Amino acid sequence: MDYVKAFLVGGLICAVCQIFLDKTKWMPGRIMTGLVVGGSILGALGLYEPFSKWAGCGATVPLLGFGNILFKGVKDAIDAEGALGIFTGGLKAGAGGICAALVFSYIASLLFKPRMR
């Protein structure tokens, strides 16, 4: 049942984003940024943790989860290092995901011929 719930929640997030793409003039970058900011706001309000425990990977894998990771990293770094944590916390917390995205994107660019529109 966990897989079904994760699939439905992740699919609902994607469906909402697709509706924004179809019904507004927003570009994909703005929608992606909105998801990251939304995850940060939900984390700051304390709503993301219960949601992610309920929804599982359907909530943690999309960009909402990345926004929450950035928020938690900054919060923890501010507690440990003070104001310098504002600049370093998010990068330390999200370094694994950022690195994986860069590496796999590079590998994909070597395997496939990219076409610019």
Side-chain angles (χ1 to χ4, degrees), residues 22-61:
D22 293 343
K23 301 294 182 186
T24 66
K25 293 183 180 182
W26 289 7
M27 300 300 287
R30 289 186 184 205
I31 293 172
M32 291 170 50
T33 303
L35 287 170
V36 172
V37 171
S40 298
I41 291 171
L42 288 174
L45 295 175
L47 300 173
Y48 191 82
E49 286 298 321
F51 174 61
S52 68
K53 285 183 182 173
W54 176 78
C57 288
T60 57
V61 171

